[in-house]
Every structure is written in structure tokens, then in C-alpha cells.
Amino acid sequence: MNRTFLIGGIAVCLLLAGLVSPFASPYPDGLEQVAEGKGIEAAGTPTWSASPIADYALPGIKREGLATGLAGILGTLVVLTAGWGLARLIRRRPV
């Protein structure tokens, strides 16, 4: 695979994650909506509210759009890193 193409693809992913994330729907996603409908959320503190990036926004950043964009970039980096690590692990296994 061409290294320039790979770096360009990663750059496009990060750019889109940072610029498009703030425009995501403010309404709950399917899983969150079902949890609310079943009363699971009212039973206690939901797991996602105690996560490091609750509600898809980095904590401590006052501007909501910036916090969401940075959370999108961070999430994209985590997924790309996990995918890269998994690919390296699979490639090293003898057949």
C-alpha cells in the first residue's frame, strides 16, 4: 500500500471526525432511546455518563462544538490505533 495514500486517508478521517462531529444529531441514538424507553436509565447512573468522553464531548472544554470535534478526533485515533494493532497481530501469526 502506498504510504502517501495511507497518510492521506488517515488525515481525511481525522479531518471529517473533527469537522462533522459537532453537527451530529442531538437526539439519542437507538440504544440510548431504548434504554430510556425501558426505564433502564432511571434505574441508576448509566455507564455512558461515567465514561471518559460522556455524551461525545471532551470534559473541561466550554465550547460544545470544539469539545465534540475533539472527541470525534480522539475516538477516530483510538479506532485507527486498535485496527492497526489488530492487523499487526494477525499478520505476525504463522499460518
Side-chain angles (χ1 to χ4, degrees):
M1 177 175 278
N2 187 351
R3 181 172 282 229
T4 306
F5 180 75
L6 182 64
I7 292 172
I10 291 171
V12 167
C13 287
L14 293 173
L15 185 68
L16 284 173
L19 295 178
V20 176
S21 297
F23 298 104
S25 174
Y27 300 107
D29 60 12
L31 184 59
E32 195 172 355
Q33 190 172 11
V34 169
E36 288 174 1
K38 298 287 182 183
I40 296 171
E41 187 172 345
T45 304
T47 305
W48 55 84
S49 69
S51 70
I53 306 177
D55 291 329
Y56 307 106
L58 285 178
I61 299 176
K62 302 287 185 223
R63 292 182 55 201
E64 186 178 341
L66 178 63
T68 305
L70 290 174
I73 291 171
L74 182 62
T76 301
L77 284 172
V78 167
V79 169
L80 288 173
T81 303
W84 174 78
L86 184 61
R88 284 189 54 100
L89 226 128
I90 291 171
R91 186 172 29 175
R92 288 188 179 179
R93 284 198 175 154
V95 178

